Amino acid sequence: RPSKEGFDIVIGNPPYISAPTQIVSPELNEQRKRIVASKKYKSLNEKWDLYVPFMELGLQLLCPKGIFAMIVPYPLTNQKYGKKLRKMLAEEYRLLEIADLNGTKIFENATVSNCIPFIQNSQPNGELRITQIFEDKIIREVLSKSPGALKQDDKNYVWNLTEEERTGNRFANMNVLGDFCYISKGMVVNANENTEKGAFRKEDLISDSLDAIHCRKYIEAKDIDKYQVKRVRYLEWNTERCPDKLSRPTFRELYDRPKLIMNCLGTINVTIDTEEHFLHNHSIYCAVLWKDLKDVINKSISSSVKKFCKHKRLVMESMSKEVDLYYLLGILNSSMADQLLADQRGGDYHIYPEHIRNLPIPVPQRETQDAIGKIAKEILHRRETNTDYSELEEQINRLVAVLYQ
């Protein structure tokens, strides 16, 4: 019922359109600029998705004590672009319920999981319900929380919709992986949208066999596992179109340095590439020790240092000499890494570069690093020979657990 004061109920399914998708579309990019210029929305933060101002507009339309509910992407609960909106919802409104639909396919053509916040236009008061959808398709309450207990930490304001204890500040005294390694997505293997739109697709560049044109080994996230590369294909390289005409070519030196390579969805799976110099697409993240990029200067690296690093590059190059890639491999594949990742991303299925970059990393004596690295090397060998290595994983888990006590 509309009134002079607003609506009793606002309900909706807003558009989910990421910042990169908006920016590459002339119409959506113009709309994005108009939304910012209107100064109507204080929830906009960095690479905000289009559903963010939709949610804030819905809240603005409420009458006092009116009720708001929208089905939105689950990343609202943990992504950096949603930080201002999460803070606003928890501190300026009454959160009644959050329906956690993570892992349930709600929309047939969508890959993202969802959640539904139920919000009252009144002062924060009391606890909120956390509900989940069960196999019988009925949504039931699983726990209740105060708005204060919902956030994991003040820095990122990530929401924790579980009973697990999570905090991004748990190891605040430690350095993070980004202090030791440059973290990057791989290349986007299709034609540049602006200059070469539609000229070629990813499939046009990949071959199952090595030849003079498809001359570099190439992998994607589905090709790797913990301590293992399961499948290798070959990418066209040093031709007129690849890499220079790719949508995101990254920079060549990224693939010619020793590096850790890992997936971007689900449980973190990490392996190492010291000799093969695999090329990889954006479904894989890589971590290269800063010291191994010492002589590489470009906008990608300088921008990353400026945006994400608390230390100068020279300092990080020096710090990276204190850690070994095989030691980091053991850390990131340990059971402790799952908890460290949950501290960063909450319950999300996606792994983003900022999650990897902010994983806390202890720097023990060289003997301890060597012990973990030696076991990691033996696991790599056993995976190649298809030999059981479960007891070695337990050894690493125990050694790593001690470092984080």
Side-chain angles (χ1 to χ4, degrees), residues 92-117:
E92 300 180 24
Y93 294 87
R94 183 180 178 187
L95 277 169
L96 301 173
E97 177 182 336
I98 300 175
D100 177 359
L101 309 178
N102 194 24
T104 301
K105 195 171 182 63
I106 303 298
F107 299 110
E108 186 174 348
N109 296 323
T111 56
V112 69
S113 289
N114 302 93
C115 66
I116 308 174

mmCIF file of all heavy atoms in Angstrom, residues 92-117:
data_model
loop_
_atom_site.group_PDB
_atom_site.id
_atom_site.type_symbol
_atom_site.label_atom_id
_atom_site.label_comp_id
_atom_site.label_asym_id
_atom_site.label_seq_id
_atom_site.Cartn_x
_atom_site.Cartn_y
_atom_site.Cartn_z
ATOM 1 N N GLU A 92 21.677 0.395 10.400
ATOM 2 C CA GLU A 92 20.632 1.407 10.224
ATOM 3 C C GLU A 92 19.233 0.815 10.089
ATOM 4 O O GLU A 92 18.257 1.565 10.078
ATOM 5 C CB GLU A 92 20.943 2.267 8.991
ATOM 6 C CG GLU A 92 22.270 3.007 9.096
ATOM 7 C CD GLU A 92 22.558 3.849 7.866
ATOM 8 O OE1 GLU A 92 21.593 4.230 7.170
ATOM 9 O OE2 GLU A 92 23.751 4.115 7.605
ATOM 10 N N TYR A 93 19.134 -0.496 9.959
ATOM 11 C CA TYR A 93 17.833 -1.155 9.805
ATOM 12 C C TYR A 93 17.761 -2.343 10.763
ATOM 13 O O TYR A 93 18.765 -2.761 11.345
ATOM 14 C CB TYR A 93 17.648 -1.647 8.362
ATOM 15 C CG TYR A 93 17.552 -0.538 7.344
ATOM 16 C CD1 TYR A 93 18.705 0.005 6.765
ATOM 17 C CD2 TYR A 93 16.319 -0.030 6.953
ATOM 18 C CE1 TYR A 93 18.626 1.023 5.834
ATOM 19 C CE2 TYR A 93 16.229 0.983 6.020
ATOM 20 C CZ TYR A 93 17.383 1.518 5.463
ATOM 21 O OH TYR A 93 17.300 2.526 4.549
ATOM 22 N N ARG A 94 16.572 -2.884 10.885
ATOM 23 C CA ARG A 94 16.400 -4.080 11.688
ATOM 24 C C ARG A 94 16.416 -5.296 10.765
ATOM 25 O O ARG A 94 15.510 -5.475 9.940
ATOM 26 C CB ARG A 94 15.089 -4.044 12.474
ATOM 27 C CG ARG A 94 14.944 -5.270 13.376
ATOM 28 C CD ARG A 94 13.666 -5.265 14.165
ATOM 29 N NE ARG A 94 13.581 -6.480 14.972
ATOM 30 C CZ ARG A 94 12.512 -6.840 15.682
ATOM 31 N NH1 ARG A 94 11.443 -6.063 15.689
ATOM 32 N NH2 ARG A 94 12.516 -7.948 16.384
ATOM 33 N N LEU A 95 17.449 -6.111 10.898
ATOM 34 C CA LEU A 95 17.532 -7.357 10.143
ATOM 35 C C LEU A 95 16.640 -8.391 10.821
ATOM 36 O O LEU A 95 16.863 -8.760 11.974
ATOM 37 C CB LEU A 95 18.980 -7.850 10.104
ATOM 38 C CG LEU A 95 19.882 -7.228 9.040
ATOM 39 C CD1 LEU A 95 21.339 -7.600 9.291
ATOM 40 C CD2 LEU A 95 19.475 -7.688 7.651
ATOM 41 N N LEU A 96 15.626 -8.856 10.109
ATOM 42 C CA LEU A 96 14.702 -9.836 10.675
ATOM 43 C C LEU A 96 15.155 -11.262 10.381
ATOM 44 O O LEU A 96 15.089 -12.137 11.249
ATOM 45 C CB LEU A 96 13.296 -9.637 10.090
ATOM 46 C CG LEU A 96 12.652 -8.263 10.306
ATOM 47 C CD1 LEU A 96 11.343 -8.181 9.528
ATOM 48 C CD2 LEU A 96 12.425 -8.003 11.787
ATOM 49 N N GLU A 97 15.615 -11.479 9.149
ATOM 50 C CA GLU A 97 15.960 -12.842 8.738
ATOM 51 C C GLU A 97 16.880 -12.779 7.526
ATOM 52 O O GLU A 97 16.787 -11.871 6.703
ATOM 53 C CB GLU A 97 14.691 -13.619 8.369
ATOM 54 C CG GLU A 97 14.925 -15.029 7.858
ATOM 55 C CD GLU A 97 13.636 -15.738 7.471
ATOM 56 O OE1 GLU A 97 12.559 -15.357 7.988
ATOM 57 O OE2 GLU A 97 13.698 -16.667 6.639
ATOM 58 N N ILE A 98 17.771 -13.755 7.427
ATOM 59 C CA ILE A 98 18.528 -13.976 6.204
ATOM 60 C C ILE A 98 18.339 -15.441 5.829
ATOM 61 O O ILE A 98 18.715 -16.341 6.573
ATOM 62 C CB ILE A 98 20.027 -13.666 6.369
ATOM 63 C CG1 ILE A 98 20.228 -12.197 6.763
ATOM 64 C CG2 ILE A 98 20.769 -13.966 5.066
ATOM 65 C CD1 ILE A 98 21.662 -11.835 7.052
ATOM 66 N N ALA A 99 17.704 -15.657 4.683
ATOM 67 C CA ALA A 99 17.534 -17.019 4.176
ATOM 68 C C ALA A 99 18.790 -17.383 3.389
ATOM 69 O O ALA A 99 19.083 -16.773 2.357
ATOM 70 C CB ALA A 99 16.294 -17.114 3.300
ATOM 71 N N ASP A 100 19.525 -18.352 3.895
ATOM 72 C CA ASP A 100 20.785 -18.787 3.294
ATOM 73 C C ASP A 100 20.479 -19.907 2.298
ATOM 74 O O ASP A 100 20.197 -21.037 2.685
ATOM 75 C CB ASP A 100 21.720 -19.278 4.409
ATOM 76 C CG ASP A 100 23.034 -19.827 3.890
ATOM 77 O OD1 ASP A 100 23.230 -19.850 2.663
ATOM 78 O OD2 ASP A 100 23.870 -20.234 4.724
ATOM 79 N N LEU A 101 20.532 -19.581 1.004
ATOM 80 C CA LEU A 101 20.232 -20.551 -0.051
ATOM 81 C C LEU A 101 21.502 -21.031 -0.754
ATOM 82 O O LEU A 101 21.441 -21.572 -1.858
ATOM 83 C CB LEU A 101 19.273 -19.927 -1.068
ATOM 84 C CG LEU A 101 18.017 -19.267 -0.490
ATOM 85 C CD1 LEU A 101 17.179 -18.653 -1.603
ATOM 86 C CD2 LEU A 101 17.203 -20.261 0.311
ATOM 87 N N ASN A 102 22.646 -20.816 -0.118
ATOM 88 C CA ASN A 102 23.933 -21.153 -0.739
ATOM 89 C C ASN A 102 23.990 -22.644 -1.074
ATOM 90 O O ASN A 102 23.679 -23.492 -0.238
ATOM 91 C CB ASN A 102 25.073 -20.797 0.219
ATOM 92 C CG ASN A 102 26.423 -20.798 -0.471
ATOM 93 O OD1 ASN A 102 26.511 -20.631 -1.683
ATOM 94 N ND2 ASN A 102 27.485 -20.981 0.295
ATOM 95 N N GLY A 103 24.373 -22.941 -2.315
ATOM 96 C CA GLY A 103 24.484 -24.339 -2.740
ATOM 97 C C GLY A 103 23.224 -24.896 -3.358
ATOM 98 O O GLY A 103 23.229 -26.013 -3.873
ATOM 99 N N THR A 104 22.126 -24.145 -3.311
ATOM 100 C CA THR A 104 20.865 -24.593 -3.909
ATOM 101 C C THR A 104 20.621 -23.824 -5.203
ATOM 102 O O THR A 104 20.698 -22.595 -5.227
ATOM 103 C CB THR A 104 19.682 -24.354 -2.944
ATOM 104 O OG1 THR A 104 19.905 -25.063 -1.732
ATOM 105 C CG2 THR A 104 18.375 -24.809 -3.566
ATOM 106 N N LYS A 105 20.333 -24.534 -6.267
ATOM 107 C CA LYS A 105 20.108 -23.887 -7.571
ATOM 108 C C LYS A 105 18.684 -23.350 -7.627
ATOM 109 O O LYS A 105 17.720 -24.099 -7.758
ATOM 110 C CB LYS A 105 20.364 -24.890 -8.694
ATOM 111 C CG LYS A 105 20.526 -24.250 -10.064
ATOM 112 C CD LYS A 105 20.993 -25.286 -11.083
ATOM 113 C CE LYS A 105 21.222 -24.675 -12.453
ATOM 114 N NZ LYS A 105 22.286 -23.663 -12.471
ATOM 115 N N ILE A 106 18.550 -22.058 -7.494
ATOM 116 C CA ILE A 106 17.236 -21.421 -7.481
ATOM 117 C C ILE A 106 16.782 -21.080 -8.895
ATOM 118 O O ILE A 106 15.649 -21.339 -9.289
ATOM 119 C CB ILE A 106 17.257 -20.140 -6.615
ATOM 120 C CG1 ILE A 106 17.726 -20.472 -5.185
ATOM 121 C CG2 ILE A 106 15.881 -19.491 -6.601
ATOM 122 C CD1 ILE A 106 16.829 -21.428 -4.437
ATOM 123 N N PHE A 107 17.695 -20.493 -9.667
ATOM 124 C CA PHE A 107 17.379 -20.099 -11.037
ATOM 125 C C PHE A 107 18.115 -21.029 -11.997
ATOM 126 O O PHE A 107 19.328 -21.204 -11.904
ATOM 127 C CB PHE A 107 17.790 -18.644 -11.283
ATOM 128 C CG PHE A 107 17.082 -17.666 -10.382
ATOM 129 C CD1 PHE A 107 17.773 -17.006 -9.369
ATOM 130 C CD2 PHE A 107 15.730 -17.408 -10.538
ATOM 131 C CE1 PHE A 107 17.129 -16.104 -8.536
ATOM 132 C CE2 PHE A 107 15.076 -16.518 -9.713
ATOM 133 C CZ PHE A 107 15.771 -15.867 -8.703
ATOM 134 N N GLU A 108 17.384 -21.587 -12.932
ATOM 135 C CA GLU A 108 17.928 -22.632 -13.800
ATOM 136 C C GLU A 108 19.133 -22.169 -14.607
ATOM 137 O O GLU A 108 20.096 -22.909 -14.787
ATOM 138 C CB GLU A 108 16.827 -23.118 -14.758
ATOM 139 C CG GLU A 108 17.251 -24.304 -15.604
ATOM 140 C CD GLU A 108 16.103 -24.853 -16.438
ATOM 141 O OE1 GLU A 108 14.945 -24.460 -16.196
ATOM 142 O OE2 GLU A 108 16.382 -25.663 -17.335
ATOM 143 N N ASN A 109 19.113 -20.929 -15.082
ATOM 144 C CA ASN A 109 20.185 -20.452 -15.955
ATOM 145 C C ASN A 109 21.255 -19.651 -15.227
ATOM 146 O O ASN A 109 22.121 -19.062 -15.860
ATOM 147 C CB ASN A 109 19.594 -19.586 -17.078
ATOM 148 C CG ASN A 109 18.684 -20.395 -17.981
ATOM 149 O OD1 ASN A 109 18.955 -21.553 -18.262
ATOM 150 N ND2 ASN A 109 17.587 -19.784 -18.434
ATOM 151 N N ALA A 110 21.194 -19.611 -13.896
ATOM 152 C CA ALA A 110 22.162 -18.836 -13.123
ATOM 153 C C ALA A 110 23.165 -19.762 -12.444
ATOM 154 O O ALA A 110 22.826 -20.871 -12.038
ATOM 155 C CB ALA A 110 21.445 -17.984 -12.079
ATOM 156 N N THR A 111 24.401 -19.296 -12.345
ATOM 157 C CA THR A 111 25.434 -20.079 -11.658
ATOM 158 C C THR A 111 25.641 -19.618 -10.225
ATOM 159 O O THR A 111 26.197 -20.345 -9.419
ATOM 160 C CB THR A 111 26.774 -19.957 -12.404
ATOM 161 O OG1 THR A 111 27.129 -18.569 -12.511
ATOM 162 C CG2 THR A 111 26.670 -20.544 -13.805
ATOM 163 N N VAL A 112 25.181 -18.425 -9.914
ATOM 164 C CA VAL A 112 25.414 -17.869 -8.582
ATOM 165 C C VAL A 112 24.406 -18.426 -7.580
ATOM 166 O O VAL A 112 23.255 -18.710 -7.917
ATOM 167 C CB VAL A 112 25.332 -16.322 -8.624
ATOM 168 C CG1 VAL A 112 23.915 -15.855 -8.893
ATOM 169 C CG2 VAL A 112 25.858 -15.701 -7.338
ATOM 170 N N SER A 113 24.850 -18.632 -6.325
ATOM 171 C CA SER A 113 23.930 -18.984 -5.244
ATOM 172 C C SER A 113 23.260 -17.716 -4.719
ATOM 173 O O SER A 113 23.703 -16.600 -5.009
ATOM 174 C CB SER A 113 24.681 -19.686 -4.117
ATOM 175 O OG SER A 113 25.088 -20.978 -4.510
ATOM 176 N N ASN A 114 22.211 -17.914 -3.928
ATOM 177 C CA ASN A 114 21.394 -16.779 -3.499
ATOM 178 C C ASN A 114 21.221 -16.703 -1.992
ATOM 179 O O ASN A 114 21.490 -17.647 -1.261
ATOM 180 C CB ASN A 114 20.001 -16.867 -4.149
ATOM 181 C CG ASN A 114 20.056 -16.898 -5.650
ATOM 182 O OD1 ASN A 114 20.076 -17.967 -6.248
ATOM 183 N ND2 ASN A 114 20.098 -15.739 -6.276
ATOM 184 N N CYS A 115 20.745 -15.557 -1.562
ATOM 185 C CA CYS A 115 20.242 -15.383 -0.201
ATOM 186 C C CYS A 115 19.088 -14.388 -0.269
ATOM 187 O O CYS A 115 18.931 -13.661 -1.260
ATOM 188 C CB CYS A 115 21.333 -14.898 0.750
ATOM 189 S SG CYS A 115 21.961 -13.240 0.398
ATOM 190 N N ILE A 116 18.254 -14.389 0.762
ATOM 191 C CA ILE A 116 17.126 -13.455 0.820
ATOM 192 C C ILE A 116 17.154 -12.743 2.168
ATOM 193 O O ILE A 116 16.852 -13.351 3.204
ATOM 194 C CB ILE A 116 15.766 -14.172 0.658
ATOM 195 C CG1 ILE A 116 15.751 -15.058 -0.581
ATOM 196 C CG2 ILE A 116 14.638 -13.134 0.596
ATOM 197 C CD1 ILE A 116 14.487 -15.904 -0.704
ATOM 198 N N PRO A 117 17.550 -11.477 2.199
ATOM 199 C CA PRO A 117 17.461 -10.721 3.452
ATOM 200 C C PRO A 117 16.047 -10.158 3.638
ATOM 201 O O PRO A 117 15.434 -9.672 2.681
ATOM 202 C CB PRO A 117 18.479 -9.597 3.261
ATOM 203 C CG PRO A 117 18.587 -9.419 1.783
ATOM 204 C CD PRO A 117 18.227 -10.727 1.138
#
